[in-house]
Each structure stands twice: as structure tokens, then as C-alpha cells.
């Protein structure tokens, strides 16, 4: 039987945003289900590939190929996210990151959709962070004072997902090397939660000491947080940007990762800790193990969640967006995208 070539669709950012808006709880549940599928072996998630530039050392483009099995009535999907990070863009007045996500049909291998993916990437990152904040605090009490170190798009999405999944977020601390960015984020936090106490901090140490939940969402390429005394009150730390914390901080904490093999590379903070010790004994486990109830989080230690960011999460959210847009009848297809469909002409 001849296989049908799927139509090729392009899903622009406006459609992606509409498909995801206001669905924070549903998306956190989706990300948690994907972590469980990944933990049970229902994914293929090879290492990310970093394209770096000798003449532009602060910039990079990352390829995240992955394959996600079908679950709960959904079909499987293969694909790749191609995401760039050019920090100098901020000074040019445009966002640092841009991305596309390609979805491939697992039966024929044909790509069937190209989605604008900076929103998808921010969404899966924020949903993962919100899940970790919830699951890692259940045995230690929910934090009340939330601090954000770094105030770009990712921080804004994490704040949105915390609020959207029931966090009060009425006591927020903010630090950024850019005063304008810090003030902009503070204004966002105040608009999102009217009456919230939003405080601007002049240094990272004071913010960390003042908060029960600390979100690192910067573009730091190497550790700038070195003092374990800042964490003497044992906060919950979402190490989203992965490279802010020194090995000393990591080794003094209870460490939960999204995926051990992925996270212990590319000079992340956990990778530096592994290089320092020569072992992985400091890794307590993964978020999937917390979800499964096989890993208990202590109340008397600093807890650090380090998510490298799995391509299968992008596929899960991308598949969700594609299905939503297809149901709406607004899917933009390029009917003659695939031209050579006869083997012998």
C-alpha cells in the first residue's frame, strides 16, 4: 500500500501563542506526563548539538532532535528544535532567542509542520520549572517569597506559569544586571498580581538570602554565585540557566535533574561539580523519580533543580499546538511543498 505524504503546515507565533494562552495547568500536566514517558523509556532524546562561532563566542545555535511515543490517544512524533541564542540582540531591541520546531511523521519520516518555537521553548521551560517548584516543595512547605535573578522572556514565562498554577506570587524579588530589564519585569509582576509586593535588589546575595524560592534565568556562561552562606536558610532553587552556581553550591545541595546524562555536560553547574569530584554522588535523582514518588525531598537542605531542557518536551508542546490549530480549521498548509513524489519521474 502506498503511503500518503502528509501536507506541510506552517504555524506562526500568533497561532502558537493563542493555542497556549491561559492553559498553564494543562501544560504542566502535559510536561509531567512527558517526563514520565521519558523515564519509562518511551522517548529517544540524543545529546543536543551546539553550533558555536569563533568570531561570536557569546552566541550559539542548538539542535535538539528527539522522538516521542504516542500516549493516551495521541500519535507519536519525531522532530527537531533549532534554537539560537544571540545575547547581543537585546541591545539591538530584539529578543535574544529565536527558534523553529519541525515535526516529522513517524510513519513516513516526512516533516509535516514548522512551528515558531521561541514561545514553545519558553512554555516547556516554564512548565517544567512550575512542576519542579510544586513537586519539590510538597514535603517542605510552599515558598512564599520568590526571587528572580535574570528578568528576560524565560523569567516572565516562569512567573506566568507559577501564577497560572496557583502560586500567590504576592512577594517577589527581582535582580538583573540591566536596571531597565529589572524595572520592566517588576512592572509585569505588579500587573499580573495586583497588590503584590515587588522589590528590586541591587545584588544577587541579598536577593537569595531574602527568598524561599530562587529562579536563575540568566545568560551567564560561567558561575558567579560562589558563597554557600547565601543558602544557609535552605531555599528551593530553580537553576534554569544552568551556569550561575559554582560547584561548591551544587555540592552543598540536594540536586534534582531532568536527565542526568544531558545535564552533566557543556560546563553546566552540575557538570562542574562532577569534574571537581570525579563522580556523580551529589546527584540525588530526577524529577521523574519525584513524580513517581521514589525520591523524597528533604526539608533541611538547599534543593537545586537543574533542567538541561529535553527536546521531547518541545515535541510534546509542539504536537499539542499543532493539534489545537488543526482543530480550529486555521492550519496554513503549503500544498505543493513536496514536489518530487514520483520515484522515476
Amino acid at each position: 500500500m502506498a503511503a500518503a505524504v502528509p501536507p506541510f503546515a506552517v504555524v506562526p507565533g500568533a497561532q502558537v501563542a493563542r493555542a497556549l494562552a491561559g492553559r498553564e495547568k494543562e501544560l504542566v500536566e502535559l510536561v509531567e506526563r512527558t517526563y514520565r514517558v521519558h523515564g519509562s523509556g518511551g522517548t529517544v532524546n540524543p545529546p543536543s548539538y551546539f553550533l558555536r562561532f569563533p568570531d561570536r563566542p557569546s552566541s550559539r545555535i542548538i539542535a535538539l532532535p528527539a522522538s516521542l511515543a504516542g500516549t493516551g490517544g495521541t500519535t507519536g512524533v519525531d522532530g527537531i528544535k533549532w534554537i539560537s541564542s544571540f545575547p547581543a540582540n537585546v541591545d539591538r531591541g530584539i529578543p535574544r532567542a529565536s527558534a523553529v520546531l519541525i515535526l516529522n511523521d513517524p510513519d513516513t519520516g516526512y516533516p509535516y509542520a514548522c512551528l515558531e518555537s521561541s514561545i514553545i521553548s519558553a512554555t516547556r521551560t516554564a512548565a517544567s520549572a512550575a512542576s519542579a517548584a510544586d513537586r519539590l516543595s510538597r514535603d517542605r512547605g510552599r515558598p512564599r517569597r520568590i526571587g528572580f535573578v535574570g528578568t528576560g522572556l524565560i523569567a516572565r514565562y516562569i512567573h506566568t506559569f507559577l501564577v497560572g498554577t496557583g502560586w500567590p506570587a504576592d512577594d517577589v524579588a527581582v535582580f538583573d544586571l540591566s536596571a531597565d530589564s529589572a524595572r520592566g519585569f517588576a512592572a509585569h509582576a505588579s500587573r499580573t498580581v495586583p497588590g503584590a509586593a515587588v522589590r528590586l535588589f541591587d545584588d544577587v546575595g541579598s536577593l537569595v538570602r531574602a527568598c524561599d524560592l530562587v529562579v536563575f534565568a540568566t545568560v551567564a556562561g560561567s558561575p558567579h554565585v560562589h558563597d554557600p552562606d547565601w543558602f544557609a536558610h535552605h531555599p528551593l532553587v530553580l537553576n534554569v540557566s544552568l551556569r550561575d552556581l559554582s560547584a561548591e553550591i551544587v555540592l552543598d545541595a540536594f540536586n534534582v535533574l531532568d536527565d542526568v546524562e544531558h545535564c552533566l555536560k557543556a560546563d553546566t553547574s552540575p557538570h562542574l561539580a562532577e569534574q571537581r569530584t570525579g563522580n556523580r554522588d551529589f546527584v540525588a535523582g530526577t524529577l521523574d523519580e519525584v513524580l513517581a514518588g521514589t525520591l523524597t525531598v528533604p526539608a533541611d537542605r538547599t534543593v537545586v533543580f537543574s533542567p538541561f531542557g529535553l527536546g521531547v518536551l518541545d515535541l510534546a508542546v509542539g504536537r499539542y499546538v499543532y493539534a489545537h490549530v488543526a482543530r480550529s480549521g486555521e492550519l496554513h498548509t503549503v500544498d505543493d511543498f513536496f514536489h518530487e513524489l514520483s520515484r522515476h519521474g
Side-chain angles (χ1 to χ4, degrees):
M1 175 184 288
V5 174
F8 185 77
V10 176
V11 184
Q15 287 187 324
V16 174
R18 287 195 296 270
L20 298 175
R23 296 180 170 87
E24 290 83 12
K25 290 182 179 179
E26 186 177 353
L27 290 163
V28 169
E29 292 171 355
L30 172 63
V31 163
E32 289 186 343
R33 289 197 302 272
T34 306
Y35 275 133
R36 299 311 320 279
V37 173
H38 180 66
S40 66
T43 67
V44 180
N45 205 109
S48 303
Y49 181 82
F50 287 71
L51 176 61
R52 300 186 184 276
F53 313 97
D55 60 329
R56 292 159 285 161
S58 67
S59 300
R60 63 191 182 190
I61 308 179
I62 311 172
L64 289 81
S67 176
L68 176 62
T71 57
T74 62
T75 58
V77 61
D78 308 326
I80 188 168
K81 180 174 73 172
W82 182 238
I83 181 166
S84 67
S85 175
F86 280 53
N89 282 353
V90 176
D91 295 332
R92 303 183 181 112
I94 60 177
R96 170 188 63 85
S98 58
V100 293
L101 176 68
I102 301 295
L103 303 182
N104 290 74
D105 172 33
D107 290 329
T108 65
Y110 272 81
Y112 63 86
C114 176
L115 301 90
E116 195 287 326
S117 197
S118 65
I119 299 171
I120 290 172
S121 186
T123 293
R124 63 85 150 147
T125 301
S128 170
S131 171
D134 173 30
R135 298 290 181 163
L136 298 177
S137 65
R138 290 190 176 186
D139 294 330
R140 20 184 304 133
R142 174 161 287 195
R144 296 287 303 182
R145 295 164 294 172
I146 307 172
F148 288 87
V149 181
T151 55
L153 178 75
I154 297 300
R156 172 161 62 86
Y157 267 72
I158 292 173
H159 180 270
T160 297
F161 267 74
L162 290 174
V163 173
T165 53
W167 290 71
D170 54 4
D171 190 350
V172 176
V174 178
F175 172 82
D176 196 288
L177 291 175
S178 166
D180 287 344
S181 183
R183 286 192 293 267
F185 182 86
H188 157 78
S190 297
R191 288 193 305 269
T192 305
V193 183
V198 182
R199 298 168 291 163
L200 295 174
F201 279 72
D202 294 328
D203 65 278
V204 177
S206 297
L207 181 147
V208 171
R209 291 189 183 98
C211 295
D212 310 304
L213 172 63
V214 183
V215 180
F216 285 95
T218 74
V219 293
S222 60
H224 58 96
V225 177
H226 299 275
D227 191 346
D229 289 342
W230 293 0
F231 302 84
H233 58 301
H234 303 314
L236 171 58
V237 179
L238 302 182
N239 182 30
V240 176
S241 41
L242 287 175
R243 295 172 179 85
D244 300 85
L245 307 178
S246 69
E248 290 83 359
I249 304 298
V250 172
L251 293 172
D252 197 46
F254 184 87
N255 291 281
V256 179
L257 314 181
D258 60 349
D259 182 282
V260 176
E261 293 300 327
H262 282 78
C263 203
L264 294 180
K265 61 182 59 176
D267 290 333
T268 65
S269 295
H271 188 207
L272 296 179
E274 181 188 34
Q275 293 173 356
R276 173 75 60 86
T277 62
N279 61 63
R280 300 179 173 184
D281 296 345
F282 61 90
V283 177
T286 65
L287 183 58
D288 172 58
E289 292 173 305
V290 176
L291 294 171
T294 59
L295 179 65
T296 301
V297 181
D300 58 351
R301 294 186 65 188
T302 298
V303 176
V304 175
F305 174 60
S306 298
F308 193 80
L310 302 176
V312 291
L313 300 181
D314 296 283
L315 289 186
V317 176
R319 180 175 60 185
Y320 175 95
V321 169
Y322 177 87
H324 178 90
V325 177
R327 287 194 303 270
S328 74
E330 298 178 352
L331 198 63
H332 303 302
T333 58
V334 183
D335 294 332
D336 58 351
F337 187 82
F338 299 109
H339 177 64
E340 285 286 3
L341 298 180
S342 176
R343 185 172 185 180
H344 301 294

